Amino acid sequence: MKTNTTTKTNQQSINAVDSIWDGWLNSFKTLQGFQTEMAEKSLQAVENQKEFMNTTRGALKKMEEEETKIKEEWKTSLQSTMNTVDNNQGNPLVSTWMNQIEEINNSVQALSWTPSKIMLDLFTQSQDQFESNIKEALDQQQKGRSEVLKTVEQLTEKMKQTHKELLPTV
């Protein structure tokens, strides 16, 4: 009976050692899971920024199209008014004046949209570079975590065995 009790006690000690080290290893894996989750959240934030840039680009394009449409409507209306005033005689001064107004409108449109487009392009390029750098860094971190986890798993197994060898045997 004593041998049975001793064997049972030894088995309980071995199970306790396994539980302690397995718990420690699971805690380590949980920590790594949090790190992976944070990396995913970082990528999602970068993706949200990219979507914002694309939405802004679309809004600017739509505004520019609307401005062009309004400019064309204004030009047509002005041309019609000038033709009525000129009694459809085709005065070259009216034509020259209309061309000058169109050039001024084109210049104003270019001056008003070019800085916004350039800034948006610069932001987009910076965002693309930032995203590339983030992905590279996260890939390197993931590789490092994988290597560390493999080493920790091996170390944990060795520690379990060493700990079990230190248990008194009866």
Side-chain angles (χ1 to χ4, degrees), residues 9-137:
T9 302
N10 283 345
Q11 188 59 43
Q12 287 175 340
S13 296
I14 289 171
N15 289 344
V17 167
D18 284 341
S19 291
I20 290 168
W21 286 106
D22 289 343
W24 182 84
L25 182 59
N26 286 334
S27 295
F28 185 81
K29 288 179 180 180
T30 299
L31 177 62
Q32 284 203 321
F34 287 138
Q35 291 171 331
T36 300
E37 187 177 325
M38 291 305 295
E40 290 169 3
K41 298 269 186 212
S42 296
L43 288 176
Q44 184 59 47
V46 169
E47 192 60 36
N48 290 344
Q49 289 173 343
K50 189 189 294 186
E51 287 176 25
F52 175 75
M53 294 290 231
N54 289 336
T55 301
T56 302
R57 185 178 306 283
L60 283 174
K61 183 177 180 179
K62 187 172 182 169
M63 287 174 20
E64 186 177 17
E65 288 169 355
E66 285 296 316
E67 181 185 25
T68 300
K69 180 181 169 186
I70 291 169
K71 183 181 84 169
E72 288 301 318
E73 289 172 359
W74 179 80
K75 178 183 167 188
T76 303
S77 175
L78 184 60
Q79 183 69 49
S80 175
T81 303
M82 293 306 294
N83 285 341
T84 302
V85 169
D86 189 33
N87 294 323
N88 292 321
Q89 294 190 13
N91 187 338
L93 288 176
V94 170
S95 179
T96 302
W97 185 70
M98 288 297 296
N99 288 338
Q100 289 174 344
I101 288 177
E102 186 171 359
E103 286 177 25
I104 290 169
N105 277 337
N106 290 339
S107 295
V108 167
Q109 187 175 15
L111 289 172
S112 64
W113 292 110
T114 301
S116 298
K117 287 180 180 178
I118 290 172
M119 288 302 292
L120 189 57
D121 287 344
L122 286 173
F123 283 141
T124 300
Q125 289 171 2
S126 296
Q127 179 70 20
D128 290 344
Q129 185 63 45
F130 180 70
E131 180 180 15
S132 176
N133 291 344
I134 290 284
K135 285 181 177 180
E136 178 70 26

